[in-house]
């Protein structure tokens, strides 16, 4: 039996007016973020500091999720979440970036769209407040994938970015960390505590597309001009709808050598579950080689994996069912 035309018209009208009033769409969305991995000891983190970290992680993951539920593309959701982490002095990206051996801040970032495999990356920036924004502009507004240093900053000016004075990135706690690290190195004290605080996000948007973005100040006391895994597509960041989305944090050199983000996604494309694929890279490939750190990863259905071989990783997610999770230590 076919419905009378007036009834069909009424149904069409009802559906479109419900949509216009912002009834949540049914397509599942999901987001996971991280703000670094390392030697995080419960007794060394004050309850105030811990509460502030958890609150900032929650704010960032909620901002990314809101972008997804309002129908924005994955790349914009990554931007929304990562901008909040970059603007916080707590994490090693944007405002809280670590210092290099010359007591300067040099920032790197990258973005990848899993639908098109378009990507953008920037490195060795000194004056761009939100490096993820410039990575997105490189992807969308240039014919290139990666730009660095002064040339990248010139491109930023042409794109209408307002550059900040390098002193914007200066924070006393990062300078103290640099001085301590340099003193230890001079005294030949072995660094058995590692702390990485790069930030990143992976998302599944309403169109079923994956995206990944990562932003960092790199490693404390790194050499001037050193670039890590964060802006290297396939190493510290990768997204492919036929595989997965990954954002990494840790000793960048190892993530580059083992092409970690891409390797995880190729395993998923070959049929391995996302958590298993991430764990194999983090525990079986990186760890025996001396690589510390972790990843957040998401498969095309929005399944989330957190994997790290350190004592903890700052992380948060809102899964396909809208469930919020915030974690710092292992086993929580
Ligand atoms: N992976 C970053 C780098 O090597 C550091 C970090 O994760 O904090 O530059």
């Amino acid at each position: 039996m076919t419905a009378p035309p007036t009834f069909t018209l009424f149904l069409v009208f009802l559906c479109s007016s419900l949509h216009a009033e912002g009834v949540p769409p049914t397509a599942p969305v999901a987001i996971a973020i991280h703000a670094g991995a390392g030697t995080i000891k419960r007794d060394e983190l004050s309850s105030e500091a811990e509460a502030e970290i958890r609150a900032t992680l929650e704010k960032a993951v909620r901002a990314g999720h809101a972008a997804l539920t309002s129908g924005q593309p994955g790349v914009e959701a990554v931007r929304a979440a990562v901008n909040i982490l970059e603007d916080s002095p707590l994490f090693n990206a944007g405002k809280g970036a670590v210092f290099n051996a010359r007591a300067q801040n040099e920032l790197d970032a990258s973005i990848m769209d899993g639908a098109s495999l378009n990507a953008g990356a920037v490195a060795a920036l000194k004056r761009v407040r939100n490096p993820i924004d410039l990575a997105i502009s490189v992807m969308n507004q240039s014919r290139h994938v990666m730009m660095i240093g002064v040339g990248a900053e010139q491109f930023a000016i042409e794109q209408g970015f307002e550059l900040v004075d390098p002193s914007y990135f200066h924070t006393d706690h990062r300078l103290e960390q640099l001085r301590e690290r340099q003193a230890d190195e001079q005294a030949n004290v072995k660094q058995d505590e590692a702390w990485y605080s790069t930030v990143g996000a992976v998302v599944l948007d309403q169109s079923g597309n994956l995206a990944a973005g990562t932003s960092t100040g790199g490693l404390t006391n790194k050499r001037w001009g050193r670039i890590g895994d964060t802006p290297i597509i396939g190493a510290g960041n990768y997204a492919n709808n036929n595989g997965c989305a990954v954002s990494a944090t840790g000793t960048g050199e190892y993530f580059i050598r083992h092409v970690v983000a891409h390797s995880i996604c190729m395993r998923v494309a070959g049929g391995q579950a996302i958590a298993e694929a991430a764990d194999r890279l983090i525990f079986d490939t990186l760890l025996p080689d001396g690589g510390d750190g972790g990843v957040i990863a998401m498969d095309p259905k929005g399944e989330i994996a957190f994997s790290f071989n350190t004592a903890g990783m700052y992380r948060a997610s809102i899964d396909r069912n809208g469930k919020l999770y915030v974690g710092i230590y292992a086993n929580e």
Side-chain angles (χ1 to χ4, degrees):
M1 197 178 83
T2 43
T6 41
F7 183 67
T8 310
L9 271 175
F10 171 72
L11 277 182
V12 169
F13 169 77
L14 188 69
C15 289
S16 60
S17 60
L18 277 178
H19 186 71
E21 277 166 31
V23 169
T26 48
V29 297
I31 178 167
I33 64 168
H34 72 84
T39 323
I40 309 170
K41 294 184 184 141
R42 278 181 201 266
D43 48 348
E44 282 175 12
L45 202 58
S46 71
S47 50
E48 295 78 36
E50 183 176 323
E52 200 185 346
I53 289 162
R54 287 184 191 274
T56 312
L57 291 170
E58 183 174 337
K59 186 175 165 200
V61 81
R62 284 195 187 281
H65 191 257
L68 293 169
T69 53
S70 71
Q72 292 191 47
V75 166
E76 290 308 317
V78 169
R79 185 205 300 269
V82 170
N83 278 171
I84 287 172
L85 301 170
E86 286 178 329
D87 290 343
S88 164
L90 295 171
F91 311 119
N92 173 20
K95 178 66 187 162
V98 298
F99 284 99
N100 68 12
R102 287 181 157 196
Q104 297 168 331
N105 307 101
E106 288 186 305
L107 297 94
D108 311 328
S110 67
I111 185 85
M112 188 158 186
D113 170 22
S116 60
L117 302 190
N118 280 339
V122 287
L125 304 178
K126 291 201 174 81
R127 297 187 299 151
V128 177
R129 182 185 160 127
N130 293 104
I132 196 76
D133 290 354
L134 190 59
I136 293 171
S137 289
V138 168
M139 176 173 81
N140 291 337
Q141 311 298 337
S142 86
R143 60 199 162 88
H144 303 302
V145 168
M146 185 183 242
M147 291 192 208
I148 65 162
V150 180
E153 290 178 353
Q154 179 59 39
F155 174 72
I157 294 167
E158 287 162 22
Q159 291 298 312
F161 282 66
E162 247 178 65
L163 299 189
V164 294
D165 189 85
S167 62
Y168 164 78
F169 299 107
H170 179 116
T171 55
D172 290 344
H173 72 287
R174 294 295 185 202
L175 196 58
E176 209 175 296
Q177 277 173 5
L178 173 69
R179 298 302 178 217
E180 275 170 20
R181 178 62 56 99
Q182 289 180 328
D184 282 355
E185 280 187 16
Q186 216 152 23
N188 266 329
V189 175
K190 198 179 160 286
Q191 307 283 332
D192 53 359
E193 296 212 343
W195 177 240
Y196 315 98
S197 195
T198 289
V199 309
V202 292
V203 303
L204 174 71
D205 71 15
Q206 276 185 27
S207 306
N209 294 323
L210 293 169
T214 310
S215 183
T216 191
L219 297 179
T220 301
N221 203 30
K222 65 185 179 181
R223 275 193 72 104
W224 173 49
R226 176 267 187 190
I227 292 169
D229 59 318
T230 300
I232 308 294
I233 300 300
N237 199 66
Y238 190 72
N240 184 337
N241 282 0
N242 297 317
C244 69
V246 173
S247 171
T249 179
T251 30
E253 283 70 10
Y254 294 86
F255 284 76
I256 294 173
R257 290 188 198 110
H258 293 290
V259 206
V260 167
H262 181 264
S263 300
I264 292 171
C265 292
M266 289 308 98
R267 282 171 173 260
V268 177
Q272 201 164 45
I274 188 82
E276 179 66 15
D279 280 353
R280 295 292 59 81
L281 258 292
I282 295 301
F283 292 100
D284 298 353
T285 305
L286 278 188
L287 197 57
D289 201 22
D292 284 337
V295 293
I296 51 173
M298 184 178 288
D299 78 9
K301 290 191 184 125
E303 184 70 30
I304 293 164
F306 296 108
S307 180
F308 48 98
N309 60 30
T310 48
M313 178 164 82
Y314 294 158
R315 59 200 186 278
S317 60
I318 298 180
D319 70 13
R320 285 171 300 198
N321 303 315
K323 191 163 177 279
L324 171 74
Y325 163 79
V326 180
I328 294 183
Y329 311 104
N331 307 321
E332 66 163 308

